[in-house]
Amino acid sequence: MAFIKYKELTQYFNFFNEVDYENIPSFIHDYINSDEKIFAIYKTYRDHGVFTNKKIILFDQRGTGNVKEITIIPHKSISSLSIKFRKTSAEIYMNLNSGYPLRLKFIKLTPEDKMKLRILYTNVNKEVVDIN
């Protein structure tokens, strides 16, 4: 049996701030269907992550130019999901059905932020389990 190690699907994200739905950039609305419920939207200094009841959308802006990489991960393509909490940060680990791993890091977390992240994780995990 051969073992193939896949590189992670995306660059590392260090989300540090939750964003209100009213304050997201207009281009993000194009990727959210009207029947989807948004659980949370997080951002880095230049990137965004949108978590809905059907998918995770990662907007990765590379460098200083207008190069964006948009990754859409339907919940049905997630085979396993876990979360690890540290003192002021947390990481969500996912393995996709294709074998690719994905890691999303959340930094500068307050106790209230950790509670919100636990709720987000629980909601996404419930959707993944219900689909699979």
Side-chain angles (χ1 to χ4, degrees):
M1 177 201 273
F3 175 75
I4 300 172
K5 183 176 180 180
Y6 292 102
K7 67 176 187 135
E8 288 189 295
L9 186 61
T10 62
Q11 298 292 332
Y12 297 123
F13 289 90
N14 288 318
F15 296 116
F16 67 88
N17 195 8
E18 189 173 6
V19 180
D20 290 328
Y21 182 75
E22 296 79 28
N23 296 329
I24 61 173
S26 60
F27 67 87
I28 291 179
H29 294 280
D30 297 336
Y31 296 90
I32 301 170
N33 298 327
S34 60
D35 65 334
E36 286 183 87
K37 177 183 176 190
I38 296 175
F39 292 145
I41 302 168
Y42 283 90
K43 69 177 230 160
T44 67
Y45 288 106
R46 63 177 189 249
D47 305 325
H48 287 83
V50 180
F51 300 83
T52 76
N53 64 326
K54 296 186 183 222
K55 62 188 172 221
I56 299 168
I57 311 164
L58 302 172
F59 298 91
D60 186 6
Q61 185 170 340
R62 304 278 172 100
T64 58
N66 290 329
V67 178
K68 278 194 177 66
E69 181 176 317
I70 301 167
T71 304
I72 299 175
I73 304 161
H75 290 181
K76 65 183 177 184
S77 69
I78 300 171
S79 59
S80 67
L81 184 68
S82 65
I83 191 166
K84 181 189 287 186
F85 286 99
R86 292 191 170 86
K87 187 174 183 177
T88 60
S89 67
E91 293 179 351
I92 294 179
Y93 298 96
M94 291 177 237
N95 285 309
L96 305 181
N97 292 338
S98 62
Y100 284 99
L102 175 66
R103 176 176 54 162
L104 304 174
K105 189 171 183 177
F106 299 81
I107 60 174
K108 301 179 184 176
L109 297 176
T110 66
E112 295 80 25
D113 294 334
K114 285 183 177 181
M115 181 58 72
K116 288 180 182 178
L117 194 55
R118 280 187 192 96
I119 292 168
L120 170 64
Y121 173 77
T122 301
N123 286 332
V124 170
N125 191 45
K126 181 182 180 315
E127 296 295 330
V128 168
V129 168
D130 287 349
I131 289 172
N132 294 327

